[in-house]
Amino acid sequence: MLSALLLAPVFFAPFQEDEAQAPRGRALVFRVDRIETLDGEALENAVVLVREGIIEKMGRAVVIPDRAVVHDLRGQGSVLMPPLVLGHAGFLVEDSRGFGRNSRHTASDSLWLDEDTLEDLRAEGVLLIGVDPPGSGIPGRTSVISSVSESPRPEPVIGDLHLKVTLDASTRGKDAVRDAFKNAEEAIQKESDARAAWEKARKEWEEKEKKKAEDAKKDGEGKKKEEGKKAAEGKPETGKKGKGEEEKAPPEEFTPPKIGADLEPIVEWVQGKRVAEIWLDSAAEWLHWREVIGDREHARGI
């Protein structure tokens, strides 16, 4: 429904973007000739109530709050419509990367737009653009930009959305995905082993320190007096380690092993922390994908 969409002032020709804003917390109201909806009939001579950039109410009979900023655009052929979204815009990137594992890159790293590109998209009603990273194999992560941004390097609305994975029937293509899974699962196991070792060392250290404190308490003042007496007589103390021999405590917090920048997004995918977008060129490649992924059920879109 429209109520879940962001309002984009670019559709109101009589206003510049900064002229259609309301002070923080105050309502912004547009009276328009027509509202196009995603379901149901269009609304004629209707009102849209916006607060903090989110549409709160819309219809022919909307109560306008006190101190609202009202823009009356009726009689000008004004139309409010949901913004169009261009899902895959690989043509907006400029890079020569080919096949390989380039997960460290986002599509926004390769953006380079001429002055007319975003203007042309706005003219078509496109406000949000999903941009695919260039290349194949595991070329990187998708980004989302707004056509209301500035060229040639617009700031992304979402810099890192999905991990992109392409698969074809070739041995090279399948091995690239297999190796990615293998490396990611090895990295996850390595971190798990390192955490278990740290927890064990930390537990042993804390138990040792606790025992030391208990022993010192039992010895009490008598032991302190005996040590003081030996020191006064110039006799060396026995049974003590030198300063350089003191046992070092394990870190108080666990630090996971470092993971390469090209492997980290794949590890996050395997761990269920991100979604991957799988690209197949033909229905037959679905069988190759099932062969490669086996019984894994990582979050993905095909």
Side-chain angles (χ1 to χ4, degrees):
M1 294 294 292
L2 258 180
S3 57
L5 296 176
L6 295 177
L7 179 69
V10 72
F11 288 116
F12 297 101
F15 288 91
Q16 295 298 320
E17 185 178 358
D18 57 351
E19 292 175 334
Q21 306 302 311
R24 189 169 183 80
R26 284 175 61 183
L28 177 64
V29 173
F30 293 96
R31 295 181 180 274
V32 296
D33 293 319
R34 183 181 177 89
I35 298 176
E36 297 287 352
T37 61
L38 291 175
D39 57 356
E41 296 181 1
L43 302 176
E44 305 287 347
N45 190 21
V47 174
V48 179
L49 178 102
V50 182
R51 200 186 305 269
E52 301 295 335
I54 304 298
I55 297 175
E56 287 187 357
K57 295 179 182 178
M58 55 178 285
R60 295 186 182 90
V62 174
V63 176
I64 298 176
D66 293 338
R67 301 177 66 244
V69 177
V70 180
H71 295 295
D72 192 344
L73 306 177
R74 291 173 298 179
Q76 304 177 44
S78 56
V79 177
L80 177 67
M81 59 181 286
L84 300 180
V85 176
L86 179 60
H88 301 287
F91 63 89
L92 298 183
V93 294
E94 183 177 286
D95 205 299
S96 58
R97 289 198 303 274
F99 181 88
R101 187 191 297 178
N102 292 293
S103 312
R104 67 188 181 280
H105 294 293
T106 63
S108 58
D109 296 334
S110 302
L111 281 177
W112 192 265
L113 313 177
D114 60 48
E115 294 182 359
D116 298 330
T117 302
L118 295 182
E119 184 178 344
D120 291 343
L121 289 167
R122 285 197 301 271
E124 296 297 327
V126 175
L127 289 191
L128 291 176
I129 306 123
V131 186
D132 298 315
S136 58
I138 306 180
R141 292 161 283 158
T142 59
S143 302
V144 178
I145 63 172
S146 167
S147 63
V148 190
S149 305
E150 293 184 2
S151 299
R153 295 299 300 270
E155 286 294 323
V157 177
I158 302 174
D160 175 5
L161 185 60
H162 297 136
L163 177 67
K164 181 179 177 182
V165 179
T166 68
L167 181 75
D168 57 37
S170 69
T171 300
R172 181 183 72 160
K174 291 188 287 187
D175 284 348
V177 180
R178 283 196 187 98
D179 290 345
F181 282 139
K182 179 183 177 183
N183 296 157
E185 287 159 358
E186 287 174 348
I188 291 169
Q189 185 60 51
K190 184 177 179 181
E191 179 176 333
S192 177
D193 293 343
R195 182 180 290 277
W198 170 80
E199 288 174 348
K200 181 175 182 291
R202 192 70 204 172
K203 182 179 179 181
E204 290 175 350
W205 169 264
E206 289 170 355
E207 289 176 349
K208 193 179 294 184
E209 289 299 294
K210 183 180 178 181
K211 188 174 185 303
K212 263 202 239 178
E214 290 172 350
D215 291 345
K217 188 175 181 181
K218 288 177 183 177
D219 290 344
E221 292 300 322
K223 184 177 180 180
K224 289 184 180 178
K225 288 179 181 179
E226 183 66 24
E227 290 173 351
K229 182 179 177 182
K230 287 181 180 180
E233 294 173 354
K235 295 179 180 180
E237 295 181 12
T238 58
K240 282 192 173 183
K241 293 182 180 180
K243 187 176 181 181
E245 299 174 11
E246 291 180 358
E247 189 176 354
K248 188 176 180 181
E252 292 187 4
E253 295 183 1
F254 173 67
T255 302
K258 289 187 177 180
I259 300 175
D262 278 330
L263 182 59
E264 187 173 1
I266 301 168
V267 168
E268 291 171 350
W269 176 34
V270 172
Q271 290 176 324
K273 297 178 180 178
R274 69 161 59 246
V275 175
E277 196 174 72
I278 315 303
W279 287 57
L280 307 175
D281 285 336
S282 67
E285 288 175 0
W286 168 251
L287 299 178
H288 294 286
W289 169 254
R290 292 306 312 173
E291 174 197 344
V292 169
I293 198 169
D295 59 359
R296 300 179 182 93
E297 290 297 337
H298 308 319
R300 60 186 182 269
I302 303 293

